[in-house]
Amino acid sequence: MSVIDQLSTELARLPGIGPKTALRLVHHLLKGSREQPRRLARALEEVADRVRACRVCGNFTEHEECEVCVNPRRDASIVCVVEEAFEVGAIERTGQYRGLFHVLGGHLAPLDGVGPNELNVASLLGRIRDARGGVNEVILATNASVEGEATAVYLEEMIRPMGARVSRLARGIPVGSDLEYVDGTTIAEALAGRREM
Amino acid sequence: MSVIDQLSTELARLPGIGPKTALRLVHHLLKGSREQPRRLARALEEVADRVRACRVCGNFTEHEECEVCVNPRRDASIVCVVEEAFEVGAIERTGQYRGLFHVLGGHLAPLDGVGPNELNVASLLGRIRDARGGVNEVILATNASVEGEATAVYLEEMIRPMGARVSRLARGIPVGSDLEYVDGTTIAEALAGRREM
C-alpha cells in the first residue's frame, strides 16, 4: 500500500470522512508546502502524548486535574453531569456556567452491556458525598436522547436521597429555529415547560 | 493554546472541515486508544517525507518516476493531460486508460497571474516533441470549467502543429442522473455530441 493510500485509509477512519473526502484531503495536504502535514502530525502526536482524563471529573486535561477543577473561582456546590468530555467545552463556551463538571463517559445502554459500573457513576456519587461545603445542585446535562433520559432518571434516583437538588437542562424550541421545522415532541416539551412573560 | 486547540486549528485548515467538525474529530481521536492519532500522525509524516512529483509527468510518486511512467505496458503514444495530480487517480480507477499522463499543476488564469510558464506546459510540449515512437494522441482532460476549457483551447493550438491528434473528454449527461436535474448547457452539449445507437 502506498503512503498516500495509507494516509487516506487513516483519514477515512474518522467520523464523517469517506474514502473520497479522505483522498481530497490527502491531495490538499500534498498540494501546498510539506509544512502543513507536518504541523498536523505534530499536533496529533502532542494530543496523543499529553491529553488525559482529569483525575476528579474526567474532563480532558494536560495535567492531573483539569482547569475547571483547579479554578478556585468555580462554584464547587454545583456539578453539571455530561456524557462526554467534549460536551464540557460546549457548556463552557456559553460563558454562563460557573460550577464544576462530571463526565460520565457515555450513557446507560444495558443491551450493549453498559451499566452504571461502566460509567463514572461511583466517582460522581463519591464526589457528592465527600464534597467539602457540600453539593447543592446536580445538573443532569445528559443528551436529550432516550438513553440520555434513562441515564438521567437513574442518576436522579441515586442522587436525590443524598440531599442535593437535581435538575436537568430545559427542553424546548432551539433559538433561531422556525416552529414549522421543529418536531412534535420538542413542541410538546416546549408547551409543557412554557414560562410566563 | 492547549494541544487540543492546536489540533483543532490544524484540522480546521483542511478543506470542508470547519471549527465544529474539527472539534468533533479531535474528540473522536481522544475517545479511543492513543494508537489512532499516532497512526494518523505517522501516515502524515510519511507522506510529507516521501511523496514527490514524478520527474516525467508530475504525478505523485515515492520514487523518481511514477508507476504509470515506469510501466512498460502503458501505451506511450497517448498522453492524457490533467490539471492536478489527484485527477490521475480518478482516471486510473476507471481501469479504461492504458496511456500516460501529464499533470499541468493547474489551469491558465491570467487574472491571477497564471500563464503557461506557471504550468507544466513546456515539459508537456518537450515530451510530445522528443517521445521515442512519437505521440499519436493527446487527450485534454482539463476540467469542464471556463478556465479548464480555455487551457484546453490554448494547448490544442500549441500541440496540433506538432502532428499529434488532440482530443478532449466527451461532454454529456452524467451516468445515472435525471435529465430534469441536469443543467441546460450540459444538455446542449449532450445534444450536440449525440451518438447514433
Side-chain angles (χ1 to χ4, degrees), chain A residues 160-179:
Chain A
R160 197 174 299 277
M162 303 172 79
R165 273 167 55 212
V166 183
S167 60
R168 29 174 280 207
L169 297 184
R171 302 280 177 260
I173 315 297
V175 174
S177 52
D178 277 359
L179 212 55

Side-chain angles (χ1 to χ4, degrees), chain A residues 10 27 38-39 49 86, chain B residues 10 27 38-39 49 86:
Chain A
E10 284 303 325
H27 290 119
R38 281 191 220 284
R39 267 205 320 265
D49 288 345
F86 62 86
Chain B
E10 284 303 325
H27 290 118
R38 281 190 222 283
R39 267 205 322 266
D49 288 345
F86 61 86

Side-chain angles (χ1 to χ4, degrees), chain A residues 52-159:
Chain A
R52 48 182 145 171
C54 168
R55 199 171 50 84
V56 178
C57 75
N59 185 15
F60 294 130
T61 179
E62 294 169 44
H63 308 282
E64 276 285 292
E65 298 185 14
C66 75
E67 55 187 6
V68 176
C69 284
V70 299
N71 183 342
R73 295 170 58 206
R74 305 293 294 224
D75 182 349
S77 72
I78 310 184
V79 176
C80 176
V81 179
V82 294
E83 293 185 21
E84 301 292 351
F86 62 86
E87 290 155 359
V88 170
I91 294 175
E92 282 295 276
R93 279 191 293 280
T94 67
Q96 301 293 310
Y97 180 65
R98 302 300 306 158
L100 302 181
F101 289 97
H102 194 84
V103 177
L104 289 176
H107 49 241
L108 293 176
L111 295 179
D112 299 328
V114 182
N117 294 333
E118 279 66 50
L119 302 176
N120 302 323
V121 169
S123 58
L124 170 64
L125 302 178
R127 278 179 79 185
I128 299 170
R129 193 187 317 111
D130 304 338
R132 258 182 298 170
V135 170
N136 294 327
E137 180 174 359
V138 178
I139 304 172
L140 299 175
T142 51
N143 288 330
S145 62
V146 174
E147 298 87 350
E149 288 295 322
T151 308
V153 168
Y154 169 83
L155 290 175
E156 197 263 337
E157 282 171 12
M158 303 294 286
I159 295 165

